[in-house]
Amino acid sequence: MPFASLGLSPAIAKAVAETGYTDPTPVQSAAIPAALARQDLLVSSQTGSGKTAAFMLPALETLSTAPTVRGYGPRMLVLTPTRELALQVTKAAETYGKFMRRVRVVSILGGMPYPVQNRLLKGPVDILIATPGRLLDHMRAGRIDFARLEILVLDEADRMLDMGFIEDIEAVVAATPSSRQTLLFSATLDGTVGALARKLTRDPKRIEISTAQTRHENISQVLHYADDQRHKMRLIDHYLRGIDVDQAIVFTSTKRAADEVADALSSQGFSAAALHGDMNQGQRNRTLGNVRRGNIKILVATDVAARGIDVQTITHVFNFDLPRVAEDYVHRIGRTGRAGRSGIAISLAGVRDHAQVKQIERLTAQPINVQVVPGLEPKVTPSRRPNPHANARPGNGWRPGAARPGAPKRPGAGRPAARAGGKPNFAGAR
Ligand code: AMP
């Protein structure tokens, strides 16, 4: 089904056409007509599914009509868990609204200076994109008038709840008119998210595009057991040199480990940088800008910082540490294989992480193929799981240490074991 049949007006259709998208994604096909009909929506869809346009396009359509209430306050509010995601939504609003009569988009994010935000909130706002805590600060200071509010979007609602925003969200929503349209997007609609969704929506249409089990079919997933952090560094080094990596994200579980791994990779000659919550917003934006421009090849990030990163050239995701929560695994690997491409996710686990591996496999309903790099075998593997794949090739056709067929040969490609014995440049890990 082409975009034209979804009932978007010419100004918005033209902006979509300029982005190069010809066909709506499944979540867009399902959500756009219902949202245009001003229905409330509960949508379970993944990051990477095109969910931002699924709510932004119909919302812009609504905003192209004259407001029924006078005032300066926002007509649309989007709540997001992180600053990065908020900036991505802001960009989408600007991109898709560029041919409309002026749409004033303001983002209010934690970690940014108050005076600038105070000034922005004094003027008229059409779309307000905010993280819940900071928004609530401004509301309490009387800087936001929701009298004009027509559309409320909760983006990645499950994540906002994980991050402890439930009370903030409830306080924000209580201040909005009950006549609003509410669109809730979440990886899952079960449990607490489901309960919140029922409270906030009226007779919603439920759209479930893909579940944990069906998504990420375009991403090859493998797992290596590693004895310690040094062993993990050797494996990562091996992969980064051996495969046709365009860009990669390496996930660590702590900010400190992110810095350490980024430093270690930099000193091994990779263009690597860390991204985590201890960095101020300016530093984070600069780093992400450099990743987007291709100046940084390997981003080493913690979960929260990496949320909302949408860089289509990321070919590989490495889990240097496994995530503590199985759902985060799905979010992490979803940073590759964006916009219809394929991707590779390589996880490194200690033997003690075996239970976590099982949890992830249960959530995704897919076993993760255990691999061994010749010369970099672990001394121990989980006892009840002898390694049946030792010396096997990964299932997606490439061989560790060798460039994929047709890939340009890179310096250092195809030197697995020799390098593996070398000294890893990774001192401070524990
Ligand atoms: P999202 O799920 O909103 O984070 O979007 C994931 C990626 O898909 C973004 O890079 C979008 O620009 C891209 N995208 C959104 N809609 C489409 C579409 N209809 N066709 C192709 N790519 C799209």
Side-chain angles (χ1 to χ4, degrees), residues 152-420:
L152 169 69
V153 177
L154 300 172
D155 195 6
E156 302 200 355
D158 55 327
R159 189 64 180 184
M160 287 198 277
L161 298 191
D162 283 352
M163 291 169 74
F165 283 137
I166 179 98
E167 283 168 14
D168 290 358
I169 293 172
E170 287 182 334
V172 170
V173 176
T176 63
S178 57
S179 57
R180 66 174 193 269
Q181 179 187 32
T182 306
L183 312 175
L184 182 143
F185 288 75
S186 176
T188 163
L189 295 173
D190 305 331
T192 26
V193 187
L196 178 76
R198 277 192 296 281
K199 234 161 71 185
L200 304 187
T201 54
R202 263 185 321 194
D203 191 20
K205 179 174 166 141
R206 205 178 159 107
I207 297 172
E208 292 186 63
I209 291 305
S210 63
T211 63
Q213 287 78 11
T214 58
R215 63 188 178 236
H216 293 331
E217 280 156 5
N218 56 335
I219 300 171
S220 307
Q221 301 170 51
V222 296
L223 182 102
H224 286 272
Y225 281 103
D227 300 324
D228 51 25
Q229 308 293 72
R230 283 170 169 267
H231 189 187
K232 287 183 177 182
M233 276 313 290
R234 288 200 205 106
L235 283 163
I236 291 222
D237 180 274
H238 162 78
Y239 269 110
L240 288 176
R241 290 174 197 278
I243 312 170
D244 189 26
V245 177
D246 193 349
Q247 278 179 299
I249 299 193
V250 178
F251 281 98
T252 61
S253 55
T254 65
K255 298 167 193 170
R256 183 171 177 163
D259 280 331
E260 288 172 345
V261 172
D263 285 350
L265 290 173
S266 298
S267 63
Q268 281 164 235
F270 295 106
S271 72
L275 184 79
H276 56 64
D278 278 354
M279 296 159 64
N280 67 38
Q281 193 60 36
Q283 291 170 317
R284 286 161 73 162
N285 291 346
R286 265 195 304 283
T287 302
L288 276 175
N290 277 324
V291 173
R292 287 210 174 85
R293 285 188 291 277
N295 299 336
I296 292 173
K297 186 169 159 178
I298 303 154
L299 186 67
V300 188
T302 54
D303 288 294
V304 169
R307 191 82 182 175
I309 293 177
D310 178 24
V311 181
Q312 299 185 357
T313 42
I314 290 173
T315 47
H316 292 70
V317 167
F318 293 90
N319 289 313
F320 189 85
D321 303 309
L322 286 184
R324 292 192 194 99
V325 185
E327 278 82 5
D328 281 342
Y329 175 84
V330 176
H331 289 301
R332 285 181 177 190
I333 70 169
R335 300 296 122 208
T336 181
R338 311 280 292 172
R341 301 175 187 218
S342 59
I344 295 170
I346 298 166
S347 299
L348 308 179
V351 264
R352 273 189 267 153
D353 299 331
H354 187 49
Q356 259 166 293
V357 174
K358 285 283 152 210
Q359 250 176 31
I360 292 167
E361 290 181 333
R362 259 198 308 279
L363 177 75
T364 59
Q366 283 169 24
I368 308 176
N369 197 1
V370 179
Q371 300 287 341
V372 175
V373 174
L376 288 179
E377 295 87 353
K379 291 193 192 83
V380 199
T381 51
S383 52
R384 271 175 295 154
R385 189 175 184 165
N387 199 333
H389 304 287
N391 300 321
R393 289 178 177 196
N396 60 350
W398 46 262
R399 196 170 72 251
R404 277 180 290 178
K409 198 153 172 51
R410 296 181 172 223
R415 49 175 191 140
R419 168 87 195 180

Side-chain angles (χ1 to χ4, degrees), residues 48-65:
S49 61
K51 66 182 170 59
T52 314
F55 64 75
M56 193 52 77
L57 295 175
L60 287 169
E61 205 65 58
T62 301
L63 298 183
S64 65
T65 61

